[in-house]
Amino acid sequence: MRATTGPRANGRRRGWRAATEEALYGPSGFYRRPEGPAGHFRTSVHASPLFAGAVARLLCRLDAALGRPGELAFVDMAAGRGELVTGVLATLPAEVAARVRAYAVERAGRPAGLDARISWLAEPPRAITGLLFANEWLDNVPVDVAETDTEGVPRLVLVGDDGSERLGEPVGGADAEWLRTWWWTPSSAPSEGSRAEIGLLRDLAWAGAVASLDRGLAVAVDYAHFAGRRPPFGTLTGFREGRETAPVPDGSCDITAHVALDACARPGGHVTSQRAALRALGVSGARPPLTLASTDPAAYVRALAGAGAAAELTAPGGLGDFGWLIRPVGLRGTGEAVPEDGDPFGALLVDVPDDEEQ
């Protein structure tokens, strides 16, 4: 979408951050609608229970690394209607589940019938020991959008309630510094009409979430892009009823933009792909051996279905390309490089026997 520089149309105009905040989280906002996010788009959580199982295994490995504390927190950031935290609790071994304090962090109200063990909060709890897991949260932290004018000056994009845009004042201060550091660097100077989402508020939101941990691991899973490969016209878009649509800040659709995870990762965080992370947590798209079809047909069918779901979660060009930002707090190995292949958690977490992970 190209913002105009002509006369201001009738109706209010404001930055995309303020418009998105009201459209998503205001009294009639998209995320407060009764159908919830699952009524409009499908995340890894909704794609297969294998995802919750993998997160449960990660929590078990973290539990061992922490010395099996008397209380182990699991925080589901941007919990939707509590699907992930519910799935994790259902998958954990009894000994671990008995020590887990489960939290769902969401700005919408608590859904009816949610497991009583789950505390429903608007903000993450503080001073916890455990795992904070944010699946597709940061892409919905509202951000302002900048576009360069005919002189190459980045200006704030102002948007009306109908989605129409015009250019506002030049971007300045900390936002301009963030653009120079993370998006439009000297080696990638913008041309007229270039656009960027200003990710500073996401960096701060993530830092605040990490600060809730005394010891443990914070993980953010999201659509991502990286320095040197930023999209030249940004990624701001909308979703409604399973289809991508124009972003209109009237509460009728989700408004989202991919995340500069490398900016969020500083300091002390590392980014890997969902494909690598899930494979390290036991999710593989490998087909079961054909011999199983003759010896145990029912087991073969179940294994084949599981392989198909695992393949979707780890597929190149799809969910497998999601970024996993891993941020340890107070763990051994903190600050060590995470390998591009192999186990991205191996430098941080001790292994536990297979019978304890199931």
Side-chain angles (χ1 to χ4, degrees):
M1 187 183 298
R2 176 83 175 271
T4 64
T5 55
R8 175 173 173 166
N10 293 332
R12 62 177 176 174
R13 301 271 171 170
R14 49 194 172 153
W16 269 105
R17 183 199 60 77
T20 301
E21 176 70 27
E22 181 178 338
L24 296 185
Y25 306 114
S28 301
F30 177 82
Y31 278 99
R32 298 188 186 274
R33 294 170 61 154
E35 69 272 20
H40 294 270
F41 51 84
R42 189 166 174 261
T43 71
S44 296
V45 177
H46 308 116
S48 170
L50 293 176
F51 190 82
V55 176
R57 285 190 289 277
L58 176 58
L59 184 58
C60 287
R61 290 184 63 181
L62 176 61
D63 180 46
L66 293 169
R68 295 182 171 84
E71 181 174 294
L72 178 68
F74 176 67
V75 181
D76 180 8
M77 287 292 297
R81 296 301 180 263
E83 297 93 339
L84 177 60
V85 63
T86 298
V88 168
L89 285 176
T91 307
L92 288 172
E95 189 280 325
V96 178
R99 292 183 287 108
V100 165
R101 182 74 184 272
Y103 302 91
V105 180
E106 180 56 70
R107 294 172 70 171
R110 182 186 183 98
L114 189 70
D115 191 320
R117 294 176 293 173
I118 301 170
S119 298
W120 193 265
L121 305 175
E123 299 287 342
R126 312 303 294 179
I128 60 170
T129 295
L131 174 62
L132 181 143
F133 199 90
N135 186 61
E136 295 195 42
W137 167 50
L138 289 172
D139 68 301
N140 283 130
V141 173
V143 292
D144 276 320
V145 177
E147 182 177 317
T148 52
D149 63 14
T150 56
E151 304 298 322
V153 175
R155 292 181 175 272
L156 190 68
V157 176
L158 306 180
V159 61
D161 293 342
D162 62 354
S164 59
E165 295 180 336
R166 66 183 297 272
L167 294 184
E169 296 298 314
V171 178
D175 285 345
E177 179 62 26
W178 189 93
L179 287 174
R180 287 191 293 268
T181 302
W182 292 108
W183 200 297
W184 289 322
T185 63
S187 61
S188 59
S191 57
E192 179 186 354
S194 296
R195 287 171 67 107
E197 292 97 31
I198 306 170
L200 177 60
L201 289 181
R202 290 174 170 174
D203 298 355
L204 296 174
W206 177 244
V210 170
S212 70
L213 288 167
D214 273 352
R215 291 181 68 217
L217 201 64
V219 178
V221 181
D222 236 310
Y223 300 94
H225 48 63
F226 301 92
R229 292 173 286 141
R230 307 286 187 211
F233 304 108
T235 61
L236 188 75
T237 191
F239 283 93
R240 182 190 297 115
E241 298 177 355
R243 296 175 180 270
E244 189 169 5
T245 186
V248 178
D250 61 0
S252 68
C253 66
D254 186 27
I255 298 174
T256 179
H258 295 197
V259 183
L261 277 183
D262 48 345
C264 295
R266 302 293 188 269
H270 310 281
V271 181
T272 189
S273 69
Q274 174 154 301
R275 182 166 50 259
L278 289 185
R279 286 177 176 171
L281 296 171
V283 177
S284 170
R287 294 171 64 91
L290 284 174
T291 53
L292 185 62
S294 57
T295 59
D296 191 341
Y300 177 78
V301 171
R302 290 193 300 270
L304 193 63
E312 180 183 4
L313 290 171
T314 59
L319 295 175
D321 288 345
F322 270 51
W324 279 46
L325 168 53
I326 303 165
R327 176 63 161 87
V329 177
L331 295 175
R332 69 179 182 87
T334 297
E336 295 181 17
V338 172
E340 293 185 4
D341 54 5
D343 185 350
F345 307 102
L348 305 171
L349 307 177
V350 299
D351 291 326
V352 296
D354 289 342
D355 59 350
E356 292 187 31
E357 291 188 354
Q358 302 303 317

